Amino acid sequence: MGRSDLERLSREELIELVLRLQRPQKTSRTSSKPPSTDRKERREQAKPGGAKPGHEGHSRVLSEDPDAVVDHRPDRCACCGGALHGDLPAEVVSVSERIELPAVAPVVTRHRRLAVQCPSCGGRGVAPVPQAARGTPFGPRLHAVATYLKTFQALSYERLQAALSDLFGLTLSQGGLMNLLRRAQARFRPGREAAVAKLRRAEVVASDETGVRIEGSNSYHWVFHSTDAVVHTASPTRGAVVVREMMDGHRPAVWISDRYTAQQGHGVRHQTCLAHLARDVAYAVEVSADPVPLRLQFWLQAVFALAERVTDLAASTLAAKRRALERRLSDILSAPSRCDLTYELQARIGRARDQLLVFLDHPGTVAVTNNGCERLLRPAVVQRKMTNGYRAMWAATGEADIRTVVDTARLSGASPFATILATVA
């Protein structure tokens, strides 16, 4: 906006412009921005580190099955210097443990094919090619370790190469690592297909996406989440076509997501993530003196409190509380205001009104937020920041397959490395 444009503004418009410019920047508490973008507090205003007052201390739990037990007993009396023979009874006064990692070195097994000349006919018998000598020289555990470090510890090829060399004495080229990871990723395709099949039968599905660089272009990492399946997928687009291709015509009873247009219309009903709305409301409360955002904040707090005990209340009680919440919301949305932030909030919440309290019709099965998907996306965000994305689409797709199988197995308590090893073995 130039000087001439400013001169044409009225006094009221200039006041409104100045007030907008004076508004504080949005943070992770008042928007969907990640915490890493927040400005750090000054040192004198920062909270002290360490345990807070009243925090109950914890100590390491002793191992239930130690590899060795060493008893340390005195051989002389500290009072008189007399001998304390080994057959005297003793009591345990304290127990401590020392934990150490064994030295890890690669186990190299050389397979030699032998030929033997037959003493009867003079023929030459040659042993068949052993299975261990076919294909890659690297075993399944090495494939699993490299896959785990690359995918779940966000190591670049250079850092992965250094880690294998420093920790295990293995020398692999980056090209060799790439081939190793590509072979391992192919083993996760059947598990991904099984997870997708479960997702397409689910009654409640949540979804979200985040940006990622693939082959030097802006792309997206999507996640779809149900009670018994998690599916990750990499795509060059953020459009609704990704959802349609994933669901293949299946329309769950409830879809959970934010208010992004591409996420709308995929379920019979839709539960909007109230955490997103709460952050927008928090920003309006922080920068505006209008009472409506504060009323909306109190209303959302009542909804979150109800969501925490939704499975403990009778259906009639839930219905009564829902009617009360609906009446309060109607009053808030119809309240007059001259604040542009309030007006935008009222319009946004009004458009999503039928999506705010859907969780009350499905107690215990529909979440009031989409935090589950956001947690599942967090490792992909870390990977993006650590490695700046993927050089090739096959790498992004393969890693999405790995995360799909591992995160689905996690729903039943399986650990990531154990799942990876069982898949590639």
Side-chain angles (χ1 to χ4, degrees):
M1 182 177 291
R3 184 182 184 88
S4 58
D5 297 322
L6 291 173
E7 290 175 345
R8 286 194 293 268
L9 295 178
S10 66
R11 182 172 178 272
E12 291 294 327
E13 289 172 331
L14 284 172
I15 293 174
E16 181 64 25
L17 178 60
V18 171
L19 289 175
R20 287 192 181 193
L21 292 175
Q22 289 179 337
R23 288 174 181 168
Q25 293 183 347
K26 291 187 175 182
T27 66
S28 61
R29 189 181 60 82
T30 58
S31 71
S32 296
K33 297 176 65 176
S36 59
T37 61
D38 293 345
R39 296 182 64 180
K40 301 298 183 287
E41 296 181 359
R42 294 182 178 179
R43 185 177 299 274
E44 60 270 16
Q45 298 174 344
K47 295 181 180 179
K52 302 301 181 287
H55 174 73
E56 183 180 353
H58 299 279
S59 58
R60 175 177 294 279
V61 178
L62 295 177
S63 173
E64 295 182 358
D65 185 23
D67 296 289
V69 176
V70 180
D71 290 330
H72 302 270
R73 59 182 298 149
D75 56 359
R76 291 285 176 181
C77 176
C79 296
C80 66
L84 301 176
H85 303 291
D87 56 352
L88 292 174
E91 61 175 325
V92 176
V93 294
S94 68
V95 176
S96 61
E97 289 185 342
R98 180 179 178 85
I99 302 173
E100 180 60 287
L101 288 174
V104 180
V107 177
V108 180
T109 303
R110 180 173 298 173
H111 295 266
R112 300 189 302 176
R113 294 175 62 206
L114 304 180
V116 179
Q117 186 173 11
C118 177
S120 300
C121 66
R124 187 168 180 266
V126 180
V129 178
Q131 185 64 36
R134 298 175 183 176
T136 175
F138 305 121
R141 185 172 288 273
L142 177 54
H143 280 76
V145 168
T147 300
Y148 173 79
L149 293 176
K150 183 72 174 69
T151 305
F152 292 94
Q153 299 304 325
L155 297 187
S156 64
Y157 281 105
E158 183 179 356
R159 293 176 63 206
L160 176 59
Q161 188 181 30
L164 293 177
S165 175
D166 295 342
L167 295 177
F168 309 123
L170 284 169
T171 302
L172 282 79
S173 67
Q174 292 191 23
L177 278 175
M178 188 179 300
N179 292 333
L180 182 150
L181 292 169
R182 200 164 189 172
R183 283 191 299 270
Q185 289 173 356
R187 305 298 295 270
F188 290 84
R189 177 58 57 171
R192 172 193 170 82
E193 293 173 354
V196 171
K198 292 179 181 178
L199 187 74
R200 291 173 178 171
R201 297 191 298 267
E203 286 298 304
V204 179
V205 174
S207 68
D208 202 356
E209 82 290 325
T210 188
V212 66
R213 297 281 289 179
I214 303 176
E215 296 180 346
S217 301
N218 291 335
S219 302
Y220 297 90
H221 184 113
W222 288 74
V223 66
F224 301 86
H225 182 208
S226 68
T227 56
D228 56 357
V230 176
V231 178
H232 294 262
T233 190
S235 174
T237 177
R238 197 187 180 195
V241 62
V242 179
V243 183
R244 290 194 292 266
E245 290 177 355
M246 176 60 62
M247 302 311 295
D248 193 29
H250 174 60
R251 192 173 172 83
V254 180
W255 195 274
I256 307 172
S257 74
D258 54 29
R259 290 288 298 159
Y260 179 56
T261 305
Q263 300 274 17
Q264 302 293 310
H266 303 297
V268 177
R269 301 184 70 187
H270 194 107
Q271 172 65 54
T272 285
C273 175
L274 297 190
H276 283 73
L277 292 180
R279 290 191 286 264
D280 293 338
V281 171
Y283 179 72
V285 169
E286 184 175 299
V287 303
S288 172
D290 192 278
V292 173
L294 186 59
R295 294 175 64 188
L296 280 171
Q297 193 171 59
F298 288 151
W299 185 85
L300 284 170
Q301 289 173 358
V303 174
F304 288 133
L306 179 59
E308 291 181 357
R309 54 196 186 99
V310 66
T311 56
D312 301 328
L313 301 177
S316 58
T317 304
L318 287 177
K321 290 184 176 295
R322 179 175 190 150
R323 289 192 296 270
L325 289 171
E326 292 280 8
R327 287 194 298 269
R328 285 178 60 187
L329 185 60
S330 295
D331 293 340
I332 296 172
L333 296 182
S334 61
S337 175
R338 298 179 61 185
C339 176
D340 62 309
L341 284 177
T342 297
Y343 180 78
E344 292 173 3
L345 277 176
Q346 288 175 319
R348 187 180 309 146
I349 294 176
R351 290 192 297 269
R353 183 166 182 173
D354 62 338
Q355 301 180 356
L356 303 181
L357 301 176
V358 174
F359 74 96
L360 293 176
D361 297 327
H362 306 268
T365 60
V366 174
V368 72
T369 71
N370 200 22
N371 291 344
C373 281
E374 292 184 352
R375 286 192 295 269
L376 290 166
L377 281 177
R378 194 166 297 149
V381 175
V382 173
Q383 193 277 346
R384 177 188 67 202
K385 293 182 177 181
M386 296 292 292
T387 65
N388 200 30
Y390 303 92
R391 301 178 187 176
M393 178 58 80
W394 68 260
T397 301
E399 189 164 298
D401 293 349
I402 295 171
R403 294 189 186 278
T404 294
V405 174
V406 169
D407 284 346
T408 298
R410 272 177 167 169
L411 297 176
S412 56
S415 70
F417 183 74
T419 301
I420 293 172
L421 182 58
T423 304
V424 302

